[in-house]
Amino acid sequence: MKIIKFGGSVLRGVEGLSKMASIVKDCSSETLIVISAFSNSTQKLVNASLSASQGKLQEAQEILEILIDSFYLILDDVIVNAAKRKNISSMIELGKKEVENYLLGLSITNELTDRTLDAVMSFGEFFSLHIVSHYLREQGISLESIDARQFVITNEEYGNAKPIRSETKEKLYSVLLPAFKRNPIVITQGFVGRSLKGETTTLGKESSNTTATLLASLLYAEEVIIYTNVEGIRTADPKRIPTTKVIPTLTYSQASLLAFEGLKILHSTTIEQLSGTTIPVTICSLYKTDGEKTVVHSNVNSSENSLNNNQPLESNPTQIVVIEHLNVVKLSFMGTDVGNEQILQGLQVLHSEQHGTNETIYCLESNSAEHKYSNFQQSEKLTGVSIVSTNGFDAVSLRKIVRLLSQYELHIFTVQPKVVLAIFNNTTNEDVLQSIHDFVI
């Protein structure tokens, strides 16, 4: 069995869905397909929830209406059969009505809890799963469609739920594996699960990849293939920096470091799910399936690994990754509020500073936690950049990087053996990023 995951950024039009269908048609053995919500769907649902909880019901309804309209545009483009379009439209309207009920409740209570937000956010994947499965069937592909909440069982840490592996494995064997006896192709959605009490949960920001690796590890899959809109893991975001290079191979530990430091293509728990396995994860572009790619292994033979620990920075450029942070939030805690666990839950801490009885924490904001600090009095949004070496910097390289970054207006400046973090007071621009990238790569 293999697991194929398609990102929401590539499933938003005829071209992406058509290429997906071509790949699925070529699957000759048992294949589990995991999909994300269509691009920006989750954020729109978060925005609608925030607006409703602030008493702006009409604004929330307008955001939802725009989202639903985008689904209908996709339907018109990709579903030819009028009867099927009508069936999918009925499903969309039912889902829309459920979301509207949540928004109405939020406008009355003026309180957005993690549990309610999880319930609302889950509709992004719900809509995508139904539209994509109907599209693939119309392309002549026979498949089973199963809601992931039937077998992904988690704890009750809403917004950042942890899978309960024993319970999930039991459900996989009772719910998912029987589906493969009926059809070799099964499709489900990432990101979501359900608690032992039966309530909807989400696994954290950008966690559809985590769903794929979780299921791969529990089903003893041969491989995981993640299709996105870029050719593998690059030395920077290719949308911002055109001169990026691919990193062809990474170990689990190296990939985990990049994920923890904010690499968008990986979630910090994605590789964690593969602990104790040797399942390879291939990251490649849906639009260039024969192009460059990154393969993440449990171990990489040193003779084949371009990321050699003993090579200096200059002779081993592909070990360095420049990660831009457009979503840094600065939280200032005063006195007894220091280290407030409720606020920090679901946030990735980049840096913290102690000032007497007060504390300043710099985090990467996330969709699922945004409501916690949106009204937080002592908060500020910043931008920044991390320069990450998967094998560590040598002293000479560190000094060069420090000198380069000192030319820019820094808010904080942290130097660690494998990570250099700079937070800017102003918005970073492409010229700054390009200069940093070209210097270290």
Side-chain angles (χ1 to χ4, degrees), residues 369-402:
E370 184 176 349
H371 67 292
K372 293 181 179 179
Y373 53 79
S374 59
N375 295 319
F376 192 60
Q377 293 293 321
Q378 302 295 323
S379 66
E380 179 183 0
K381 291 192 176 182
L382 303 167
T383 60
V385 62
S386 289
I387 304 171
V388 186
S389 170
T390 56
N391 298 314
F393 297 103
D394 57 44
V396 174
S397 300
L398 273 179
R399 284 196 293 270
K400 289 181 179 179
I401 293 171
V402 169

Side-chain angles (χ1 to χ4, degrees), residues 323-326 328 382-386 421-424 426 428 433:
I323 303 173
E324 182 183 20
H325 304 302
L326 297 175
V328 177
L382 303 167
T383 60
V385 62
S386 289
L421 169 68
I423 302 294
F424 292 78
N426 59 331
T428 56
L433 291 172

Side-chain angles (χ1 to χ4, degrees), residues 87-210:
N87 288 337
I88 303 173
S89 296
S90 297
M91 177 277 301
I92 291 176
E93 288 302 316
L94 286 174
K96 176 187 175 183
K97 185 63 178 177
E98 287 192 57
V99 176
E100 286 176 335
N101 288 337
Y102 278 114
L103 297 179
L104 177 60
L106 289 170
S107 70
I108 295 172
T109 63
N110 294 125
E111 181 184 5
L112 179 56
T113 64
D114 292 334
R115 183 172 62 180
T116 300
L117 185 57
D118 270 7
V120 175
M121 287 195 298
S122 71
F123 281 92
E125 271 71 18
F126 171 80
F127 290 129
S128 297
L129 176 63
H130 284 276
I131 293 173
V132 171
S133 59
H134 277 82
Y135 169 76
L136 292 177
R137 289 191 181 103
E138 189 174 73
Q139 298 305 303
I141 300 171
S142 177
L143 55 81
E144 290 274 331
S145 176
I146 303 179
D147 193 311
R149 287 171 290 189
Q150 292 189 40
F151 50 79
V152 177
I153 310 302
T154 75
N155 64 12
E156 296 179 23
E157 191 178 333
Y158 299 100
N160 195 35
K162 304 296 187 297
I164 303 175
R165 293 178 66 89
S166 58
E167 297 285 344
T168 299
K169 187 171 184 177
E170 181 180 329
K171 291 295 183 182
L172 285 174
Y173 279 76
S174 64
V175 175
L176 186 63
L177 288 185
F180 279 108
K181 294 180 180 179
R182 299 188 295 269
N183 201 303
I185 307 295
V186 177
I187 186 171
T188 191
Q189 78 273 48
F191 183 60
V192 302
R194 70 173 173 86
S195 69
L196 290 171
K197 294 180 179 179
E199 296 176 321
T200 295
T201 59
T202 67
L203 308 184
K205 184 180 181 182
E206 308 295 344
S207 60
S208 287
N209 289 345
T210 299

